[in-house]
């Protein structure tokens, strides 16, 4: 099947992922691939440094984080938006092996060639979301609905 997406430079940040063909609402676009690492492993080094404002980590479940710095695919280039056209869905595997769970990026609406793919990262930090941290995690999605930060309100 011809490729429906392509990674290239984005006006939001760095590289992004763009549609190169029609993508239908509800379509599974790509899996967010990467190495399964425990939260403790990730916390023990600087891959999850909240001061950097940059991450290739995706929280999979209570046990594991997907680290797309290792064995990642093009999904690691998809940027965040406050008004996204895709969503990240956790697909729980049968059985007890939580490392077998997956993250699937699916279209929330029909997407046309040339449109950048985005989803809401849903990032909440363990620490208080101070103005300083909101600035470090500043959002440049460009949507009229942009909250100005990738950090989400805590519930
Ligand atoms: C999974 S990477 C996405 C690929 C990224 N554009 C790159 O070239 O490395 C996530 C990082 O991209 C940047 N990013 C993604 N969406 C953004 C947005 N809406 N505004 C500003 N930076 C964004 C942030 O640094 C974020 O931590
Ligand atoms: Zn935004």
């Amino acid at each position: 099947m011809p490729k429906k997406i392509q990674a290239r430079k984005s006006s939001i940040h760095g590289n992004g992922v763009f549609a190169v063909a029609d993508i239908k609402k509800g379509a599974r676009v790509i899996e967010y691939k990467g190495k399964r690492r425990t939260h403790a492993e990730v916390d023990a080094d600087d891959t999850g440094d909240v001061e950097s404002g940059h991450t290739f980590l995706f929280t999979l479940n209570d046990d594991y984080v997907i680290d797309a710095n290792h064995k990642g695919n093009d999904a690691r280039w998809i940027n965040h938006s406050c008004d996204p056209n895709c969503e990240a869905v956790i697909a729980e595997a049968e059985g007890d092996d939580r490392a077998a769970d997956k993250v699937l990026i699916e279209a929330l609406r029909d997407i046309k060639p040339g449109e950048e793919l985005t989803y809401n990262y849903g990032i909440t930090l363990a620490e208080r979301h101070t103005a300083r941290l909101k600035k470090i995690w500043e959002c440049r999605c460009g949507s009229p609905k942009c909250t100005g930060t990738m950090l989400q309100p805590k519930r």
Side-chain angles (χ1 to χ4, degrees):
M1 200 157 95
K3 251 185 108 172
K4 292 205 167 196
I5 57 171
Q6 181 188 59
R8 60 177 163 86
K9 283 269 169 272
S10 162
S11 59
I12 297 177
H13 175 275
N15 292 315
V17 174
F18 295 78
V20 290
D22 284 316
I23 297 173
K24 287 278 168 221
K25 179 178 176 174
R28 182 173 297 177
V29 183
I30 189 170
E31 178 183 344
Y32 190 101
K33 291 194 175 174
K35 184 176 175 187
R36 269 54 174 169
R37 300 177 65 202
T38 64
H39 290 271
E41 273 169 8
V42 169
D43 291 347
D45 63 27
D46 61 2
T47 18
D49 181 10
V50 297
E51 299 290 325
S52 77
H54 187 270
T55 186
F56 282 131
L57 300 178
F58 195 114
T59 300
L60 179 61
N61 50 42
D62 288 348
D63 296 337
Y64 294 103
V65 173
I66 299 178
D67 184 350
N69 289 291
H70 308 275
K71 300 192 280 179
N73 61 353
D74 275 352
R76 75 186 187 280
W77 302 118
I78 302 177
N79 282 318
H80 162 96
S81 173
C82 302
D83 187 16
N85 52 18
C86 292
E87 65 179 338
V89 177
I90 311 277
E92 272 193 24
E94 281 183 32
D96 294 333
D97 181 11
R98 295 281 58 86
D101 292 351
K102 291 179 176 181
V103 172
L104 304 170
I105 308 298
E106 297 182 356
L108 282 171
R109 57 170 175 77
D110 289 350
I111 303 171
K112 293 275 165 217
E115 281 188 67
E116 178 164 359
L117 304 190
T118 55
Y119 62 93
N120 187 320
Y121 288 0
I123 299 177
T124 54
L125 305 177
E127 46 271 83
R128 197 162 74 83
H129 291 175
T130 58
R132 189 182 72 83
L133 282 171
K134 284 181 184 169
K135 177 77 182 157
I136 289 173
W137 290 91
E138 183 177 11
C139 184
R140 290 183 282 275
C141 74
S143 153
K145 295 183 185 169
C146 185
T147 63
T149 181
M150 290 186 270
L151 302 183
Q152 303 300 299
K154 294 195 186 189
R155 290 174 199 185

